[in-house]
Amino acid sequence: MLLRRVYAFETLRVAVATVAILVAGSALADKTIVDGSGRKVTIGDTSRILSIGGDITEILYALKADGKVIAVDTTSQHPPQALGTKTNVGYMRALAAEGVLSTNPTLIIAAKDAGPPPVVSVLQSSSIPYVVVPDDKTPEGVAAKIRFIASVVDAEEAGEALAKEVEADFALLAEQRAKISSPKRALFVLSVQNGRATVAGTGTAADAIFKLAGAVNAAGDAHGYKPLADEAGVELAPDVVVTMQSGRSGPPSDPVSTVKALADSPALKQNKIIEMNALYLLGFGPRCARAARELMIALYPELEIKRASAEK
């Protein structure tokens, strides 16, 4: 009888100790961070991640953390399998709280401009950690974004390696940019409706990518995305117009050529219109430096020869 009691007590002691270890391990796994909105967020379980933002999804895949991603938004277009294999919660600026929460995530990692604000407020008030990612559109900011996301998902080693690779890409870009003696005036056209264009001023991703590519923003006197007045085209006088690829099929139709304000610009007279993928060009993810260099080569074809000889 005594032996049975001793055995029972020992079994109970081991069980209590095991629970204590598990609880302590869980507590150690939890960590509190300050996210891109300045909020303190406590993160625990990262096994079911909802990624809101194409750049965030791209970074998670580059960190080999895609096995934890269970849902994404429609801007998560790279790599293609993200939208092809993960649950789609819709456009990042038109989210529905019910749709987001129905995916049962244990962690939401979101871009700063995810919305609408009332939905974000609901999500931030839920029991699921909602982490806003910093988004400084500079070479330093891209590397910091990678390191931040890596820290959130416990992939610091992979994050550091990726960040260093991206920093090297930006260093090469800076070397090429230093060779530009006469910067061209570029205009980014976001959309065209009824012959009127919406263009990118300062404070936009397009303005930031122009700087990286060694171009002057022809609409630099404006802030944000603004409609282009008919009389403003002559004053802006862009050498080149940059716009997003439409993804249309069949023969190309060029809406930029219908913009009255640009009809007499050097860009349209010489048919200098560059189309690039939106996420690649404006996402400021791991491929940002390469996208900026691709734009640079399109703006300054003579640099392609110098680049090719330098890489041999």
Side-chain angles (χ1 to χ4, degrees), residues 246 248-254:
S246 65
R248 56 185 175 259
S249 59
S253 59
D254 179 15

Side-chain angles (χ1 to χ4, degrees), residues 196 228-237 260-262:
R196 299 289 296 274
L228 180 64
D230 289 345
E231 62 275 12
V234 174
E235 181 181 349
L236 297 183
K260 297 178 182 177
L262 299 175

Side-chain angles (χ1 to χ4, degrees), residues 37-85:
S37 69
R39 295 172 60 248
K40 288 185 177 180
V41 183
T42 299
I43 303 168
D45 185 359
T46 63
S47 63
R48 293 180 58 82
I49 299 172
L50 166 56
S51 175
I52 304 175
D55 55 335
I56 296 170
T57 301
E58 185 174 340
I59 289 171
L60 288 169
Y61 269 77
L63 294 175
K64 309 299 183 186
D66 50 292
K68 295 182 176 183
V69 177
I70 51 95
V72 298
D73 75 303
T74 56
T75 68
S76 299
Q77 297 176 6
H78 184 85
Q81 60 263 35
L83 269 178
T85 61

Side-chain angles (χ1 to χ4, degrees), residues 107-119:
L107 173 64
I108 300 172
I109 307 178
K112 271 190 172 183
D113 49 357
V119 171

